PDB file of all heavy atoms in Angstrom:
ATOM      1  N   CYS S 266    -111.992 168.095  -7.539  1.00 98.00           N
ATOM      2  CA  CYS S 266    -113.156 168.274  -8.379  1.00 98.00           C
ATOM      3  C   CYS S 266    -113.506 169.738  -8.432  1.00 98.00           C
ATOM      4  O   CYS S 266    -113.670 170.389  -7.387  1.00 98.00           O
ATOM      5  CB  CYS S 266    -114.326 167.487  -7.791  1.00 98.00           C
ATOM      6  SG  CYS S 266    -115.924 167.813  -8.561  1.00 98.00           S
ATOM      7  N   GLU S 267    -113.563 170.280  -9.649  1.00 98.00           N
ATOM      8  CA  GLU S 267    -113.848 171.679  -9.809  1.00 98.00           C
ATOM      9  C   GLU S 267    -115.334 171.949  -9.693  1.00 98.00           C
ATOM     10  O   GLU S 267    -116.118 171.670 -10.598  1.00 98.00           O
ATOM     11  CB  GLU S 267    -113.339 172.104 -11.227  1.00 98.00           C
ATOM     12  CG  GLU S 267    -113.338 173.540 -11.530  1.00 98.00           C
ATOM     13  CD  GLU S 267    -112.936 173.720 -13.024  1.00 98.00           C
ATOM     14  OE1 GLU S 267    -111.889 173.130 -13.451  1.00 98.00           O
ATOM     15  OE2 GLU S 267    -113.657 174.421 -13.704  1.00 98.00           O
ATOM     16  N   MET S 268    -115.753 172.444  -8.541  1.00 98.00           N
ATOM     17  CA  MET S 268    -117.179 172.572  -8.308  1.00 98.00           C
ATOM     18  C   MET S 268    -117.602 174.028  -8.464  1.00 98.00           C
ATOM     19  O   MET S 268    -116.977 174.933  -7.933  1.00 98.00           O
ATOM     20  CB  MET S 268    -117.485 172.128  -6.878  1.00 98.00           C
ATOM     21  CG  MET S 268    -118.971 172.185  -6.475  1.00 98.00           C
ATOM     22  SD  MET S 268    -119.229 171.320  -4.942  1.00 98.00           S
ATOM     23  CE  MET S 268    -120.945 171.834  -4.632  1.00 98.00           C
ATOM     24  N   THR S 269    -118.645 174.235  -9.255  1.00 98.00           N
ATOM     25  CA  THR S 269    -119.124 175.592  -9.491  1.00 98.00           C
ATOM     26  C   THR S 269    -120.615 175.759  -9.183  1.00 98.00           C
ATOM     27  O   THR S 269    -121.386 174.813  -9.236  1.00 98.00           O
ATOM     28  CB  THR S 269    -118.853 176.092 -10.947  1.00 98.00           C
ATOM     29  OG1 THR S 269    -119.365 175.097 -11.865  1.00 98.00           O
ATOM     30  CG2 THR S 269    -117.372 176.261 -11.221  1.00 98.00           C
ATOM     31  N   LEU S 270    -120.954 177.012  -8.899  1.00 98.00           N
ATOM     32  CA  LEU S 270    -122.328 177.384  -8.614  1.00 98.00           C
ATOM     33  C   LEU S 270    -122.732 178.430  -9.649  1.00 98.00           C
ATOM     34  O   LEU S 270    -121.884 178.945 -10.412  1.00 98.00           O
ATOM     35  CB  LEU S 270    -122.380 177.980  -7.225  1.00 98.00           C
ATOM     36  CG  LEU S 270    -122.026 177.069  -6.065  1.00 98.00           C
ATOM     37  CD1 LEU S 270    -121.885 177.798  -4.756  1.00 98.00           C
ATOM     38  CD2 LEU S 270    -123.061 175.920  -5.938  1.00 98.00           C
ATOM     39  N   PRO S 271    -124.027 178.783  -9.718  1.00 98.00           N
ATOM     40  CA  PRO S 271    -124.426 179.799 -10.672  1.00 98.00           C
ATOM     41  C   PRO S 271    -123.625 181.113 -10.473  1.00 98.00           C
ATOM     42  O   PRO S 271    -123.341 181.497  -9.347  1.00 98.00           O
ATOM     43  CB  PRO S 271    -125.893 180.012 -10.373  1.00 98.00           C
ATOM     44  CG  PRO S 271    -126.355 178.780  -9.718  1.00 98.00           C
ATOM     45  CD  PRO S 271    -125.153 178.264  -8.969  1.00 98.00           C
ATOM     46  N   ALA S 272    -123.335 181.792 -11.610  1.00 98.00           N
ATOM     47  CA  ALA S 272    -122.662 183.084 -11.548  1.00 98.00           C
ATOM     48  C   ALA S 272    -123.674 184.175 -11.468  1.00 98.00           C
ATOM     49  O   ALA S 272    -123.457 185.223 -10.819  1.00 98.00           O
ATOM     50  CB  ALA S 272    -121.777 183.261 -12.786  1.00 98.00           C
ATOM     51  N   ASP S 273    -124.835 183.970 -12.089  1.00 98.00           N
ATOM     52  CA  ASP S 273    -125.890 184.977 -12.027  1.00 98.00           C
ATOM     53  C   ASP S 273    -127.236 184.230 -11.940  1.00 98.00           C
ATOM     54  O   ASP S 273    -127.364 183.069 -12.259  1.00 98.00           O
ATOM     55  CB  ASP S 273    -125.866 185.894 -13.242  1.00 98.00           C
ATOM     56  CG  ASP S 273    -126.037 185.167 -14.568  1.00 98.00           C
ATOM     57  OD1 ASP S 273    -125.848 183.922 -14.628  1.00 98.00           O
ATOM     58  OD2 ASP S 273    -126.323 185.840 -15.589  1.00 98.00           O
ATOM     59  N   LEU S 274    -128.219 184.996 -11.460  1.00 98.00           N
ATOM     60  CA  LEU S 274    -129.534 184.383 -11.168  1.00 98.00           C
ATOM     61  C   LEU S 274    -130.669 185.264 -11.648  1.00 98.00           C
ATOM     62  O   LEU S 274    -130.545 186.523 -11.587  1.00 98.00           O
ATOM     63  CB  LEU S 274    -129.651 184.124  -9.663  1.00 98.00           C
ATOM     64  CG  LEU S 274    -128.719 183.084  -9.077  1.00 98.00           C
ATOM     65  CD1 LEU S 274    -128.615 183.193  -7.577  1.00 98.00           C
ATOM     66  CD2 LEU S 274    -129.215 181.658  -9.484  1.00 98.00           C
ATOM     67  N   VAL S 275    -131.719 184.657 -12.087  1.00 98.00           N
ATOM     68  CA  VAL S 275    -132.920 185.421 -12.452  1.00 98.00           C
ATOM     69  C   VAL S 275    -133.838 185.367 -11.224  1.00 98.00           C
ATOM     70  O   VAL S 275    -134.185 184.315 -10.717  1.00 98.00           O
ATOM     71  CB  VAL S 275    -133.641 184.758 -13.668  1.00 98.00           C
ATOM     72  CG1 VAL S 275    -134.858 185.615 -14.074  1.00 98.00           C
ATOM     73  CG2 VAL S 275    -132.673 184.648 -14.841  1.00 98.00           C
ATOM     74  N   CYS S 276    -134.214 186.590 -10.768  1.00 98.00           N
ATOM     75  CA  CYS S 276    -134.980 186.675  -9.525  1.00 98.00           C
ATOM     76  C   CYS S 276    -136.287 187.410  -9.743  1.00 98.00           C
ATOM     77  O   CYS S 276    -136.397 188.262 -10.608  1.00 98.00           O
ATOM     78  CB  CYS S 276    -134.160 187.484  -8.479  1.00 98.00           C
ATOM     79  SG  CYS S 276    -132.587 186.799  -8.097  1.00 98.00           S
TER      80      CYS S 276
END
Side-chain angles (χ1 to χ4, degrees):
C266 168
E267 188 185 311
M268 181 167 170
T269 51
L270 297 170
D273 60 343
L274 293 162
V275 182
C276 302

